[in-house]
Amino acid sequence: MNIHRLVSRHSTESRRRRRLRIGAWSAGLLVGGVTVWTADHFFYYSTLERNLRTVVNAVIVGLDYRFNFNSENAEHIDKLHERSAKRILQTCIKNGGLYIKFGQQIASLNGVSPPEYSRAFRVLYDDAPSVPYSDVRSIICKDFKVSDPSELFAEFSKDALASASIAQVHRARLKDGTSVAVKVQKPAISNQIGWDLFTFRTVLTVFGWAFDLPLTFSSQYVEKHTLQETDFLNEARNCKEAAKLLEENPVVADRAYIPKVFDDFTSGRVLTMEWIDGIRFGDLLEHKDEFPVAEIMETVVDVFSDQIFRTGFVHADPHQGNILIRKNPEDPKRNQVVLLDHGLYIRCSEKFRHEYALLWKSLFLRDTETLVEIGKAWGIQDIDIFASSTLQRQWKDETPISEKSTAAEIFEFQKKAQSRVRTFLSNTDLLPRELIYIGRNLNIVRSNNKFLGSPVNRINMIANWAVKQLGTDWKDWARSPSANHSNMTFQEPSMFDIVQQMMFVVRSRFNYWTFQAGLFLSSVTFQVVDLWRGFNRLFFGKQVAGFEEILDSQMRASMKQQYGVTVDEDAFDVQ
């Protein structure tokens, strides 16, 4: 009896001690959790919470695609895309900051990502919420070691004029009366960026696994430029270099302008620039009597083509919000385009610029041999996809999907498209990283032209700039390496040498004039479309699709016919 009592008492004591240990552990975990949350929320701008949210949702989306993107679920693929897009969008919105920029990158993949994504992520192009003036004041005071912004500025507006994912802009006036725009970085960015970029890399890895695609090849390049974009001293340097290069070319020097930087009022998180009064590009159609849209758009295409093919220092985010229009202050009869937001620039080597110019020339000549050569050097196996993405119109007709195709058959076409993209990215070590942001620049310029009603033949203009980059070296027009006459010696030329040189001359001139004929035919087509639009508008009051809209419709039809992918009407647009 005593033994049973002792055992019972020992068992009771053990249970009590176990409950105490569990209670202590629970209390410790609770206190630890609250402490971590408090520190993360109040001192680290919810960095841990944001990235945990991202990883969890990325894994959920990745697993959803991994197990549900298959032929058995072909009837419900649209719903899979929709719920995944919503989940990622909500993650970006809740996290804010750089995640808005990441979401905009997803939105810029319009025409590549499913239409459910482009529809969902379009909201991220709206203005981001601004931070309170107290945060702005704190950053200015800390960076310039002053007690109040009034020590630097005669006036400083407490209300932000514009707000984006990384920074917001305030209007101010210097002590000498100069009006300036002050761009102030949001306080959370410096604390969040390291973890955000790490999580971005992790998400790319998860999605690469889910879709069986090599998506991480671009992460290091994108991270590098994202970090540069958050350094406003770097942006100040970009402004000065871009302005200097712009002034070097008389073709664009007076037609475009980059505001000057005030170095004494600029730091890593504060950028002070000349204030410019002008019309926003998005409002241009309301002022077309004062500013001819064709002239303005021609300047926009010329400026960015000059950057791509001549200077190699390229603005990678020329969307509507980063362009103003004004009268040239030195000659009010002339119009001038003002370029803003110079945080995101890329540098293109002379070798890349030359090869990219050759690419454009070869696209117009339909010179498959040279295209394959360039593709091989860049690790690109599928030239057709590359050609279509460069021109942003269909390059080659392919066997279409039947209108009566079943959902399972359409799914197989989409799997085939996935396989083609995998082949396209089969050697990412050779792929020039510049193409990531060059493609973005070209797509935004195309979108801007479409927004204005396609007033200029953008493709012809870019092709002409490509030819300017090639210069007067006829070897670039001969196509045949054996026709390289530069290797001829001073020995007496043989009959074979003479014939070879004659063939070189004939071939290079023929290709050059074939190229010019292609440009001429494209110009005729453009003018016919423009005249037809004007005729319908004048006599019937009808709005007829412009040149860019026709190219877009061809691309949408091509994607529907070849891959069973339905693309929204404005899927290729970036505002």
Side-chain angles (χ1 to χ4, degrees), residues 153-179:
F153 304 100
E155 293 178 9
F156 193 96
S157 172
K158 295 184 178 182
D159 297 322
L161 294 174
S163 178
S165 56
I166 290 176
Q168 59 193 52
V169 177
H170 294 255
R171 184 167 186 172
R173 187 165 57 84
L174 300 180
K175 300 284 189 178
D176 65 2
T178 304
S179 290

Side-chain angles (χ1 to χ4, degrees), residues 84-118:
S84 297
K86 285 181 179 177
R87 181 176 290 278
I88 299 171
L89 174 65
Q90 288 306 312
T91 300
C92 291
I93 291 174
K94 285 180 181 178
N95 285 350
L98 283 176
Y99 281 88
I100 300 296
K101 188 163 287 292
F102 295 153
Q104 290 171 348
Q105 291 290 334
I106 294 174
S108 72
L109 295 174
N110 37 38
V112 177
S113 58
E116 290 81 7
Y117 282 78
S118 59

Side-chain angles (χ1 to χ4, degrees), residues 415-529:
K415 289 293 287 184
K416 179 184 173 185
Q418 182 186 20
S419 177
R420 287 189 68 176
V421 172
R422 194 182 306 116
T423 302
F424 178 79
L425 298 173
S426 61
N427 194 345
T428 55
D429 290 339
L430 295 176
L431 188 68
R433 302 304 190 258
E434 296 96 327
L435 290 172
I436 298 169
Y437 288 114
I438 292 293
R440 174 178 170 80
N441 176 291
L442 290 178
N443 186 46
I444 295 175
V445 170
R446 180 209 59 79
S447 181
N448 289 343
N449 190 36
K450 179 183 174 183
F451 171 78
L452 294 182
S454 308
V456 301
N457 189 339
R458 169 187 56 87
I459 293 178
N460 267 31
M461 292 179 66
I462 296 173
N464 267 314
W465 277 94
V467 171
K468 287 181 186 178
Q469 200 284 335
L470 292 177
T472 57
D473 192 342
W474 286 104
K475 292 194 298 295
D476 288 326
W477 293 93
R479 278 194 273 184
S480 173
S482 63
N484 188 346
H485 68 294
S486 63
N487 294 327
M488 293 182 64
T489 67
F490 291 105
Q491 299 175 0
E492 186 72 24
S494 66
M495 182 59 67
F496 176 78
D497 292 332
I498 295 172
V499 171
Q500 187 181 39
Q501 188 172 3
M502 289 176 62
M503 289 295 295
F504 168 84
V505 172
V506 171
R507 184 183 293 109
S508 58
R509 272 60 172 181
F510 175 79
N511 289 334
Y512 175 80
W513 288 111
T514 301
F515 176 86
Q516 294 296 337
L519 290 183
F520 175 74
L521 289 175
S522 176
S523 295
V524 169
T525 303
F526 177 83
Q527 293 299 330
V528 168
V529 170

Side-chain angles (χ1 to χ4, degrees), residues 57-239:
N57 282 287
V59 170
I60 291 173
V61 170
L63 290 172
D64 200 2
Y65 271 105
R66 191 71 173 179
F67 294 110
N68 293 315
F69 190 69
N70 52 54
S71 55
E72 289 80 11
N73 195 42
E75 297 283 350
H76 305 290
I77 294 297
D78 290 349
K79 293 187 178 186
L80 168 62
H81 292 324
E82 186 175 346
R83 66 175 175 264
S84 297
K86 285 181 179 177
R87 181 176 290 278
I88 299 171
L89 174 65
Q90 288 306 312
T91 300
C92 291
I93 291 174
K94 285 180 181 178
N95 285 350
L98 283 176
Y99 281 88
I100 300 296
K101 188 163 287 292
F102 295 153
Q104 290 171 348
Q105 291 290 334
I106 294 174
S108 72
L109 295 174
N110 37 38
V112 177
S113 58
E116 290 81 7
Y117 282 78
S118 59
R119 282 196 294 266
F121 281 80
R122 208 168 291 148
V123 300
L124 294 180
Y125 284 110
D126 297 336
D127 280 350
S130 59
V131 299
Y133 173 70
S134 57
D135 288 341
V136 172
R137 180 182 179 277
S138 175
I139 287 174
I140 292 175
C141 291
K142 186 173 182 180
D143 280 20
F144 294 97
K145 295 179 173 54
V146 295
S147 59
D148 190 80
S150 61
E151 294 183 38
L152 299 172
F153 304 100
E155 293 178 9
F156 193 96
S157 172
K158 295 184 178 182
D159 297 322
L161 294 174
S163 178
S165 56
I166 290 176
Q168 59 193 52
V169 177
H170 294 255
R171 184 167 186 172
R173 187 165 57 84
L174 300 180
K175 300 284 189 178
D176 65 2
T178 304
S179 290
V180 292
V182 184
K183 180 178 178 180
V184 183
Q185 189 174 115
K186 294 181 177 178
I189 298 300
S190 58
N191 285 282
Q192 295 171 345
I193 188 167
W195 282 102
D196 285 357
L197 291 176
F198 170 78
T199 307
F200 168 70
R201 192 161 58 248
T202 303
V203 168
L204 281 181
T205 302
V206 172
F207 283 177
W209 167 78
F211 293 105
D212 193 20
L213 291 172
L215 299 180
T216 56
F217 79 93
S218 64
S219 62
Q220 189 174 3
Y221 189 75
V222 172
E223 287 172 31
K224 170 190 168 185
H225 285 86
T226 301
L227 280 169
Q228 290 176 355
E229 197 175 0
T230 61
D231 179 3
F232 290 176
L233 288 173
N234 179 70
E235 182 170 352
R237 290 190 291 269
N238 288 347
C239 290

